[in-house]
Amino acid sequence: LISGPNVLQGRDHALRIADKLAALGQAHKLEVVFKASFDKANRTSLGSFRGPGLEEGLRVLEEVKARTGLPLISDIHEAAQAAPAAEVLDILQVPAFLCRQSDLLTAAAKTGKILHLKKGQFASAQVMLQAAAKARDAGNDMVMLGERGTFFGYADLVVDPRNLVWMQEGGAPVVMDVTHCLQQPSARKVILQDGSEGVVSGGDSGRVGMVPAMGDMALALGAQGIFIEVDEDPGSAPCDGPLQWPIHDLDRVVERWVRIAQASAQAPRV
């Protein structure tokens, strides 16, 4: 389970969520990786909240790890971020929009850390198998591939379950991002925190209600991990709030997912 807030919102907020995730992992005997971005460099609007930045963000994440023992994952957007991030993080995540960037993939791979390569909304499973090959060519075969939906027009995504099967054929573990696969990219005009008018990705209660089903489907098809963003009050989260799952309601969903994953693992493949 890869989980945490979309973006770091301060030390205390991160520690509270990490404590709850650590307890959940212990209760379900589940490997939990704490996720939070230190810089959302790919926001649609310039005035959108980005986070504390590399240096301060890594300090907060390091404290999370020291306190809870949870391994850490965060996304990098530039090749120069790979080495400093690798000093703190256990897994480096390459964002979906950057999944074909050879220099970024190579720099991330050369750190020797586990990589989570998120499938671009525009990319096929074959593109992601080639992204994994770039990492292997750089000397790193510790790669996970993440499914997060495919563009359906300009402001919607759909999940093609075939990608979960096709990406597994490359031998890398596949992770299902049940948060962003339900996104409506850049679909809402809003007033941002700095007072400017901007555009952000949308979602609604009907879509977030499909989060458990997205996990059910992926695990039944053999996915080996779930990526889910959580918050204490998703409605007030500064980034992607409408699709984050309330952390107080995560336990019952994870219990269901564990049962489905166990049943899927025991079922004979055809």
Side-chain angles (χ1 to χ4, degrees):
L1 185 74
I2 299 173
S3 189
N6 177 276
V7 62
L8 287 169
Q9 302 166 48
R11 168 188 176 273
D12 293 345
H13 179 262
L15 290 173
R16 288 196 306 271
I17 291 180
D19 284 343
K20 293 174 183 176
L21 289 172
L24 181 144
Q26 292 176 354
H28 293 281
K29 297 181 174 59
L30 182 67
E31 183 74 25
V32 175
V33 180
F34 182 82
K35 181 270 169 189
S37 296
F38 52 76
D39 182 12
K40 304 299 292 186
N42 57 354
R43 299 297 83 188
T44 302
S45 299
L46 187 61
S48 293
F49 182 77
R50 288 183 55 163
L54 176 68
E55 187 174 336
E56 175 60 24
L58 290 177
R59 275 200 294 266
V60 172
L61 290 169
E62 195 167 30
E63 187 169 353
V64 166
K65 187 175 184 178
R67 173 159 154 170
T68 65
L70 292 177
L72 304 172
I73 183 173
S74 193
D75 34 4
I76 60 173
H77 294 83
E78 303 171 7
Q81 293 178 336
E87 294 179 7
V88 175
L89 304 178
D90 300 278
I91 305 173
L92 301 183
Q93 179 169 287
V94 173
F97 282 131
L98 301 177
C99 68
R100 292 178 55 165
Q101 297 297 105
S102 297
D103 290 347
L104 180 61
L105 291 167
T106 298
K110 286 184 175 179
T111 65
K113 294 292 184 174
I114 298 170
L115 307 182
H116 180 215
L117 312 182
K118 299 191 76 172
K119 185 178 78 64
Q121 302 90 323
F122 49 83
S124 67
Q126 287 300 320
V127 168
M128 296 313 297
L129 295 180
Q130 290 303 308
K134 290 178 182 180
R136 287 195 295 272
D137 287 347
N140 190 337
D141 61 358
M142 296 187 297
V143 176
M144 303 184 294
L145 299 178
E147 167 62 48
R148 58 142 299 159
T150 302
F151 279 132
F152 187 69
Y154 291 111
D156 207 354
L157 298 172
V158 294
V159 176
D160 182 349
R162 296 175 300 176
N163 284 323
L164 294 164
V165 177
W166 288 332
M167 287 196 293
Q168 289 179 67
E169 292 176 355
V174 172
V175 175
M176 181 70 205
D177 180 346
V178 300
T179 298
H180 295 102
C181 73
L182 296 169
Q183 219 175 33
Q184 292 173 294
S186 304
R188 290 192 300 148
K189 290 184 177 180
V190 298
I191 301 300
L192 301 170
Q193 290 185 338
D194 65 357
S196 65
E197 184 178 276
V199 175
V200 300
S201 295
D204 53 38
S205 58
R207 284 177 175 256
V208 76
M210 294 182 68
V211 162
M214 293 296 100
D216 292 355
M217 175 269 297
L219 294 167
L221 289 173
Q224 292 176 275
I226 294 290
F227 176 108
I228 179 171
E229 291 183 343
V230 297
D231 211 326
E232 297 166 318
D233 180 15
S236 63
C239 284
D240 288 349
L243 290 174
Q244 292 188 65
W245 193 258
I247 192 166
H248 62 80
D249 196 33
L250 184 59
D251 184 83
R252 69 178 181 89
V253 181
V254 167
E255 181 178 3
R256 175 181 174 85
W257 284 341
V258 168
R259 291 183 180 182
I260 292 172
Q262 290 171 341
S264 179
Q266 293 168 4
R269 294 297 173 193
V270 295

